[in-house]
Amino acid sequence: MENVIIVTGLPRSGTSLMMQIMERTSIPILSDGLREKDINNPEGYYELEAVKGIVKDNSFLAEAKGKVLKIVTPLPLFLDKNLNYRVLFMRRDLEEILRSQEKMLGKDQSSEREKFKTIYELHLKKTYAFFEQNSIPFIDVWYKELIANTEQELNRIIDFLQLDSNWEELANAVHPELYRNKIDK
Amino acid sequence: MTLKKNKVVVVGWDSADWKIIDKLMANGLMPAIKSIVDNGVKGKLATLDPPLSPMLWTSMATGKRPFDHGVLGFVEPDGNGGIRSVSSHSRKVKAIWNIFTMEGIKSNIVGWWPSNPVESINGCMVSNLFQQEKMGGEVIELENWTMPEGTIYPERLKERLSELRVHPHEITGNLVMPFVPQALKLDKKKDKRLTVISRLLAHATSIHAAATELIETEPWDFTAVYHDAMDHFSHGFMKFHPPQMKGITDEDFEIFKDVVIGAYIYHDMMLDRILKMIDEDTTVMVISDHGFHSDHLRPTHVPQIPSGPAIEHAPYGIIAIKGPGIKKGERIYGASVLDITPTLLSLYDLPIGRDMAGKPLIDIYEAEKKINYIDSWENVDKDGGSLVVEAQASNEANESALQQLIDLGYIDDINKDGKDANQYLKDNIKENNFYLSKSYSSAGKYEEALEILLEIESREVPDFRILIEIVNCAVKTKRFKLAEEYLSFIRTTNVISKSYIDVLESKVQIGLNNPDKAVALLKSALNENPDAIEILLDLGRLLNTIRYSSEAESCFKKIIEKDPDNPHAYHGIGLVKLHEEKYEEAIDYFLDAIDRLYYNPLAHFNLGEAFALAKMYPEAIQTFEVVQTMTQNIPKVFRWLADLCEITENQEKFEFYSKIVKNLTRGHKKIITGLPSEKLQKYLEKSIENGVSISGFKTSIFKDQINVGDKDWMKEIESETIYVPLNLLPSLNAFNSYEIILVQENIEESMKFILKSKRFKNDSVDLSLLEDLKKQERIALIWINQQPNLDYRII
């Protein structure tokens, strides 16, 4: 049975970047383009509106066989367990994610940072547990590593998904300038 | 179909409490329940948190906690943007009547909350909406009194049972008089309390009529009947129950003081009727989901929050069982509302689902009971019955049930604060999620609880209950930064008193291993609330942990002055005496604690320790054997048992327990310890030079210490030898055996060494440090001498 390829991770962890990489492979992308590109994701979001309703209706997944789609955490908990998946799990330092989200939302949430950090940490934990309990194969892709060691990371993804691409074809999606919310230390 | 020879009847009395029943039984006023107690077993039934009836009765009927069974409060979304009273739709798992249906056992289920719409079971069902006579806030007149859809199964019984209902208007003054003998003094037009009594009597009588009709006219193996009236009587009238509470006028006290007693006696009369309808081969079980405070623990006011009235509930309900094969005149201990379904399954020799949170109460049986298990009844592919209507009852019936909840103060009125329907729905879903989080945290699933709490918490509308739970769960999961973030926020609001913030912060400080700060915070909180038993208990326990024994004792004694039956206070003083090596006194206090709350494994364990240390070995063995039945695989219990059996030369038992210890033991560790001193520093350095790998020490005894904040810190340590500072010795777990090497130095030398390390002059003296060091050494030596799993030598 054909796999559904899921790109998951917390919002602002690099899921859209991974979708751009996937766009350069032979696997078709399942998205509807309803969410338009903006300054925060200049290349677009690659989202599918139906994913937002996955809690009540996950039937759209049947259309995703042999395709790649983005489902942010913790929504993979509502995947149809009868389908086969391979998951690219985007990871990024939680502090960076929170600051990036704050910038995107244009509000200071520093007094609630531990709250959101904990919620995200628990979402990640639950999502990992779901993949493990249901024997869904996944690999972690750390945003920083993808930028810094692009060749190594892309080859790992190519191996995991058994793609016929070579890493250089995919690498031009990884614009280091996208790492724009980097925290100045 | 053949019926079972041994039938079972369960009678549920919401909120029934032994404190009242015991007195009434002693005065001959509840003969029916007394006949069960005298000829069967009696026990307390521990409730669950939150103690809310629909959640609890569903746990009773499923053996599962609310987060598994799905009933999460008093209401549920109706799917049309509104809410309705909680219904059978919310239950996600099989109830006992579904399991019995699958197994060919015929059931009568009457009034269970929630059970509307009824299900097509093998037998008959009468739902909890059967007796409702209100539509919205209005009473439906007798001639128009129809039953909501989904109330009766099978349909053929509808007319017959409908006729048996008693309308509140049929309850005449004469029937109310036994509850309120001075009713004539009241102005009935102005005072609605007599109307309330009429309603509750009508409800109880309707349920009783349906139950007795089914028992008498239908074939059955199992009958379960649930009465909510006792809880409603108690919420309405317990404040008038003797002794007279502050704030209750003499007149009200005189008029209403007998209402609760009347309600208990009336329920006993109904039980008596059922007992007369069944034979000696029928097992009878009377249960309640929680108790109800009837004495000095009655709250002086009910908070105006959803489910506020639950503050009046006491943590233990009742259980009494009699029947063939059941022990007679004995007590059972450690029962919980989760154990009802497993116990009912065991009565029919059916297997218990491993996915049930409860256990069968095997102590009720005269002979050893063989218990079988299956993974889950949910996977058994047989017809257990299904809901007879897709949607829940009509709007009218829904309004009636909702109004009942509003009247009782369990949910807010939609019209309160001018809320729109959408906000009302959101608020109620949020409330249910709060109960869900409480259900998780009461099962020790703090992360699951925390996730829900963080999702529902709102900075715009701070809810003190949610904020308190967040801090508690953050502490339990060692997320101290999160706890501090919330404490900072709480301080900017006025939703929690300063003293309670201090209590919350003390928990954080304990977690961060700052006991002195925690003590200061609790003392400050106590200053503002000198009568707060919970604060006294927290403070006493903390002082005990850091061995401020006399201060701890004084906290516990203050608790006993305010609440003479508080088991935790007696337990606390017992620990004080144990630490002071006054073992006989400790024994007395532990026995006092156990007498007041038997199912307390830690108190039994400490009693066992005190017996052992007082050299009362047979008593110690017997006590640890009790602990072992209450807990699972606690290594220290088996170590004690093995040691004690060796001392008493019981070779057979010694070998038995030693084998268990061996299986549970993770390994042997060598612990180097002592007060800080040059001698200890040099000893550790020398050991390392000799090639010994020592965890917890690299270059200085003041650095690189182990993190005892982590309860199971030792699990991560691979090396055989560990340096543990003397004051941290009690953090050694019981999964290992130990050889302790205590590097002892003159205490003055130790003080000088510490002061030198802080760059004080050589001849500096710090008297409080000196005292502290003396105390540390004394505590450590007592602790070492009281442990069963270690050998030690002093060098």
Side-chain angles (χ1 to χ4, degrees):
Chain A
M1 195 193 276
E2 276 185 300
N3 290 323
V4 180
I5 310 298
I6 305 285
V7 171
T8 193
L10 293 165
R12 310 304 295 162
S13 64
T15 48
S16 297
L17 172 63
M18 183 51 73
M19 290 301 279
Q20 288 162 38
I21 294 171
M22 288 294 109
E23 199 174 27
R24 286 158 174 80
T25 71
S26 56
I27 309 173
I29 303 259
L30 187 62
S31 74
D32 50 24
L34 285 178
R35 187 172 182 189
E36 289 178 9
K37 60 179 83 168
D38 60 22
I39 191 168
N40 295 297
N41 265 344
E43 305 295 326
Y45 283 88
Y46 298 88
E47 288 177 0
L48 182 70
E49 193 68 7
V51 170
K52 289 183 185 165
I54 195 171
V55 176
K56 284 188 178 163
D57 179 10
N58 63 8
S59 58
F60 65 89
L61 288 165
E63 300 296 313
K65 282 181 207 166
K67 295 176 187 160
V68 56
L69 83 162
K70 173 171 146 182
I71 304 181
V72 293
T73 54
L75 296 181
L77 299 181
F78 302 96
L79 288 177
D80 177 350
K81 292 179 194 168
N82 297 315
L83 298 175
N84 289 334
Y85 303 94
R86 286 184 99 73
V87 179
L88 298 171
F89 206 136
M90 290 306 295
R91 297 298 311 273
R92 190 178 177 188
D93 179 72
L94 277 176
E95 288 283 344
E96 280 185 33
I97 286 179
L98 288 169
R99 287 176 205 212
S100 176
Q101 288 184 356
E102 279 178 32
K103 192 173 171 187
M104 186 172 168
L105 297 169
K107 63 178 180 184
D108 176 18
Q109 292 181 317
S110 51
S111 66
E112 294 180 82
R113 202 163 277 158
E114 283 301 320
K115 167 185 172 168
F116 287 112
K117 214 169 146 179
T118 309
I119 290 176
Y120 288 151
E121 196 187 289
L122 295 171
H123 283 177
L124 289 175
K125 200 170 169 181
K126 252 164 88 166
T127 311
Y128 278 121
F130 175 82
F131 290 152
E132 272 155 18
Q133 278 159 15
N134 293 288
S135 307
I136 295 174
F138 67 89
I139 55 166
D140 282 342
V141 180
W142 283 84
Y143 185 86
K144 243 182 184 167
E145 281 295 299
L146 187 59
I147 303 295
N149 297 310
T150 309
E151 179 181 350
Q152 175 195 306
E153 289 303 294
L154 289 177
N155 278 326
R156 213 160 57 85
I157 293 164
I158 289 167
D159 283 351
F160 176 65
L161 297 180
Q162 296 170 347
L163 300 174
D164 49 12
S165 318
N166 73 54
W167 78 271
E168 282 164 318
E169 288 166 8
L170 312 184
N172 62 358
V174 189
H175 301 299
E177 63 269 24
L178 277 180
Y179 199 45
R180 61 199 169 281
N181 287 343
K182 189 165 67 177
I183 310 304
D184 295 325
K185 297 204 171 162
Chain B
M1 185 177 293
T2 52
L3 295 174
K4 304 272 173 193
K5 181 171 176 281
N6 296 324
K7 298 170 191 277
V8 177
V9 173
V10 172
V11 177
W13 289 346
D14 199 308
S15 93
D17 196 297
W18 284 124
K19 279 187 183 171
I20 290 187
I21 296 174
D22 283 340
K23 280 183 198 156
L24 293 174
M25 285 196 303
N27 291 324
L29 294 170
M30 289 188 83
I33 182 95
K34 188 170 188 301
S35 73
I36 297 174
V37 169
D38 289 348
N39 298 297
V41 295
K42 172 194 178 192
K44 289 180 181 176
L45 202 61
T47 192
L48 298 175
D49 192 26
L52 305 178
S53 295
M55 301 167 81
L56 296 168
W57 288 97
T58 308
S59 285
M60 297 232 210
T62 59
K64 293 182 177 174
R65 291 180 183 272
F67 55 77
D68 279 332
H69 66 54
V71 172
L72 299 176
F74 295 101
V75 293
E76 63 189 15
D78 66 4
N80 297 314
I83 62 162
R84 61 189 179 201
S85 59
V86 69
S87 75
S88 313
H89 289 282
S90 278
R91 205 184 70 236
K92 298 186 294 193
V93 298
K94 292 190 172 98
I96 187 74
W97 47 85
N98 303 121
I99 297 172
F100 283 169
T101 295
M102 293 194 292
E103 293 301 308
I105 294 168
K106 228 171 183 36
S107 306
N108 293 325
I109 308 297
V110 182
W112 211 266
W113 193 13
S115 60
N116 196 280
V118 288
E119 297 160 70
S120 55
I121 60 165
N122 176 21
C124 310
M125 270 189 98
V126 176
S127 91
N128 59 307
L129 297 187
F130 173 69
Q131 71 275 33
Q132 298 297 334
E133 77 297 337
K134 273 191 171 180
M135 185 169 72
E138 299 300 314
V139 174
I140 313 168
E141 289 305 317
L142 183 55
E143 52 275 21
N144 302 322
W145 195 21
T146 52
M147 273 194 308
E149 202 184 352
T151 304
I152 306 285
Y153 180 85
E155 190 77 12
R156 66 178 167 81
L157 293 171
K158 201 171 166 183
E159 206 178 319
R160 178 153 44 111
L161 293 175
S162 172
E163 291 293 310
L164 296 175
R165 292 175 303 161
V166 178
H167 194 278
H169 290 173
E170 295 176 282
I171 302 290
T172 60
N174 284 347
L175 294 169
V176 177
M177 285 299 269
F179 296 81
V180 194
Q182 302 180 53
L184 293 175
K185 287 185 181 171
L186 289 167
D187 178 349
K188 272 194 273 179
K189 282 188 184 157
K190 283 187 187 161
D191 200 315
K192 296 292 171 204
R193 287 174 288 191
L194 290 181
T195 315
V196 172
I197 295 173
S198 307
R199 277 193 78 216
L200 298 180
L201 276 177
H203 289 178
T205 311
S206 297
I207 289 291
H208 178 64
T212 47
E213 174 73 5
L214 295 179
I215 288 173
E216 201 158 66
T217 61
E218 293 292 321
W220 58 278
D221 302 302
F222 174 68
T223 289
V225 49
Y226 163 76
H227 286 282
D228 60 7
M230 200 180 264
D231 181 65
H232 300 167
F233 269 113
S234 300
H235 280 299
F237 299 94
M238 191 64 88
K239 52 183 162 293
F240 307 114
H241 182 75
Q244 187 174 353
M245 285 179 81
K246 268 186 198 165
I248 299 295
T249 63
D250 291 347
E251 191 190 2
D252 274 353
F253 177 69
E254 277 307 316
I255 293 175
F256 295 109
K257 66 179 164 39
D258 298 320
V259 175
V260 169
I261 287 175
Y264 272 73
I265 293 173
Y266 188 60
H267 281 76
D268 195 69
M269 289 160 72
M270 292 190 285
L271 175 65
D272 187 56
R273 174 73 191 116
I274 289 178
L275 294 183
K276 290 199 165 80
M277 296 172 83
I278 57 175
D279 59 26
E280 283 300 306
D281 289 332
T282 302
T283 299
V284 189
M285 181 191 283
V286 183
I287 48 178
S288 68
D289 53 340
H290 51 76
F292 207 97
H293 292 303
S294 57
D295 48 21
H296 58 286
L297 296 174
R298 282 177 289 184
T300 48
H301 78 284
V302 172
Q304 295 299 304
I305 52 170
S307 308
I311 194 175
E312 297 180 284
H313 296 168
Y316 291 94
I318 66 162
I319 181 164
I321 314 172
K322 94 167 171 114
I326 306 291
K327 287 176 185 167
K328 288 174 182 54
E330 291 200 21
R331 282 185 170 237
I332 54 164
Y333 300 98
S336 137
V337 297
L338 293 165
D339 303 336
I340 300 304
T341 283
T343 304
L344 289 171
L345 291 170
S346 75
L347 281 166
Y348 287 95
D349 293 318
L350 289 173
I352 319 296
R354 286 196 185 87
D355 58 344
M356 290 177 179
K359 60 188 180 303
L361 298 170
I362 49 174
D363 287 350
I364 64 170
Y365 294 107
E366 280 171 333
E368 195 175 323
K369 184 82 177 174
K370 188 173 181 312
I371 302 293
N372 298 312
Y373 289 88
I374 58 168
D375 284 342
S376 174
W377 280 98
E378 303 307 314
N379 307 331
V380 177
D381 192 17
K382 290 183 190 170
D383 182 10
S386 53
L387 300 178
V388 296
V389 280
E390 270 303 307
Q392 204 223 3
S394 62
N395 274 345
E396 291 79 8
N398 181 32
E399 276 182 38
S400 142
L402 270 185
Q403 188 61 43
Q404 162 106 339
L405 296 167
I406 293 167
D407 290 347
L408 288 167
Y410 282 122
I411 61 169
D412 277 341
D413 192 336
I414 189 167
N415 298 318
K416 190 186 162 192
D417 308 329
K419 280 179 188 169
D420 65 26
N422 191 29
Q423 191 57 42
Y424 188 56
L425 171 68
K426 277 187 185 167
D427 287 351
N428 278 289
I429 291 175
K430 183 175 172 175
E431 195 61 27
N432 279 11
N433 276 317
F434 176 64
Y435 302 147
L436 175 62
S437 77
K438 293 275 281 179
S439 164
Y440 273 122
S441 57
S442 73
K445 291 176 177 277
Y446 298 108
E447 281 201 343
E448 286 85 345
L450 188 58
E451 187 182 344
I452 295 164
L453 292 161
L454 293 175
E455 304 270 8
I456 62 174
E457 178 264 318
S458 146
R459 298 279 160 122
E460 285 74 36
V461 193
D463 180 328
F464 74 94
R465 299 168 306 156
I466 294 174
L467 295 169
I468 289 170
E469 280 299 305
I470 288 176
V471 176
N472 283 334
C473 289
V475 169
K476 290 283 183 190
T477 57
K478 298 189 187 302
R479 290 180 165 88
F480 301 116
K481 273 190 183 170
L482 178 70
E484 283 175 336
E485 183 177 284
Y486 271 92
L487 284 171
S488 300
F489 170 65
I490 289 168
R491 283 192 199 96
T492 66
T493 70
N494 58 358
V495 293
I496 300 176
S497 67
K498 189 198 163 290
S499 59
Y500 202 81
I501 296 174
D502 285 344
V503 171
L504 289 174
E505 197 180 342
S506 75
K507 294 181 185 189
V508 177
Q509 293 303 334
I510 291 169
L512 291 170
N513 204 14
N514 295 326
D516 292 338
K517 275 190 188 168
V519 167
L521 286 160
L522 287 172
K523 282 183 177 171
S524 149
L526 198 60
N527 251 346
E528 285 182 45
N529 292 285
D531 291 329
I533 288 176
E534 285 306 313
I535 302 178
L536 277 166
L537 203 53
D538 280 353
L539 181 59
R541 282 170 172 163
L542 178 58
L543 289 166
N544 232 348
T545 308
I546 55 175
R547 303 293 201 273
Y548 283 65
S549 299
S550 59
E551 271 193 81
E553 185 171 350
S554 125
C555 284
F556 295 127
K557 284 193 166 157
K558 275 184 199 154
I559 295 173
I560 292 170
E561 275 170 30
K562 295 171 203 301
D563 179 14
D565 276 332
N566 190 304
H568 311 295
Y570 289 97
H571 187 185
I573 302 181
L575 283 172
V576 169
K577 301 298 169 195
L578 190 69
H579 298 150
E580 290 175 347
E581 299 178 276
K582 295 173 180 168
Y583 301 124
E584 282 173 20
E585 281 182 63
I587 288 167
D588 287 341
Y589 279 106
F590 291 138
L591 286 171
D592 280 339
I594 289 165
D595 195 36
R596 284 161 177 83
L597 175 64
Y598 184 84
Y599 194 78
N600 183 352
L602 193 57
H604 285 274
F605 177 81
N606 294 137
L607 176 66
E609 286 183 312
F611 275 136
L613 296 163
K615 300 192 171 21
M616 296 164 74
Y617 300 128
E619 290 85 351
I621 291 173
Q622 200 181 5
T623 308
F624 282 118
E625 283 179 338
V626 171
V627 181
Q628 187 243 315
T629 63
M630 292 180 170
T631 56
Q632 281 184 339
N633 296 340
I634 305 285
K636 220 167 186 175
V637 176
F638 292 107
R639 284 187 193 282
W640 269 117
L641 283 167
D643 273 15
L644 290 162
C645 292
E646 191 179 18
I647 292 170
T648 52
E649 296 176 0
N650 185 335
Q651 191 60 25
E652 196 184 332
K653 274 192 172 182
F654 168 68
E655 280 170 18
F656 174 73
Y657 289 123
S658 298
K659 205 171 158 188
I660 298 174
V661 170
K662 205 176 159 194
N663 287 338
L664 291 174
T665 296
R666 287 186 193 151
H668 186 78
K669 299 278 183 196
K670 189 187 268 188
I671 305 294
I672 302 173
T673 188
L675 290 172
S677 68
E678 201 169 343
K679 184 176 169 186
L680 176 62
Q681 172 80 25
K682 284 190 173 158
Y683 181 85
L684 288 161
E685 284 169 0
K686 191 88 186 279
S687 301
I688 288 178
E689 273 172 35
N690 291 336
V692 179
S693 162
I694 304 178
S695 294
F697 177 84
K698 279 182 194 155
T699 53
S700 162
I701 51 176
F702 294 112
K703 288 181 190 166
D704 309 319
Q705 289 176 1
I706 44 165
N707 174 21
V708 291
D710 178 2
K711 230 177 180 178
D712 206 8
W713 59 268
M714 195 170 282
K715 203 175 174 183
E716 305 299 322
I717 290 180
E718 284 177 7
S719 62
E720 199 195 314
T721 309
I722 311 168
Y723 161 62
V724 179
L726 197 66
N727 59 332
L728 299 182
L729 274 189
S731 72
L732 296 180
N733 69 36
F735 285 99
N736 296 285
S737 56
Y738 301 99
E739 179 193 355
I740 306 256
I741 298 169
L742 175 58
V743 182
Q744 207 169 34
E745 175 61 293
N746 180 300
I747 287 181
E748 281 81 8
E749 289 302 316
S750 175
M751 178 196 68
K752 282 182 193 165
F753 181 74
I754 294 169
L755 293 175
K756 196 173 150 193
S757 74
K758 292 179 181 170
R759 301 182 194 284
F760 283 89
K761 283 182 189 165
N762 269 348
D763 54 352
S764 301
V765 173
D766 181 336
L767 289 176
S768 69
L769 175 62
L770 198 63
E771 276 311 301
D772 192 38
L773 291 171
K774 275 184 195 166
K775 190 176 166 193
Q776 271 187 38
E777 189 174 66
R778 193 174 62 82
I779 290 168
L781 285 169
I782 293 173
W783 184 84
I784 288 171
N785 278 309
Q786 291 181 344
Q787 303 312 305
N789 57 331
L790 52 85
D791 297 317
Y792 78 100
R793 59 195 166 96
I794 295 175
I795 57 170

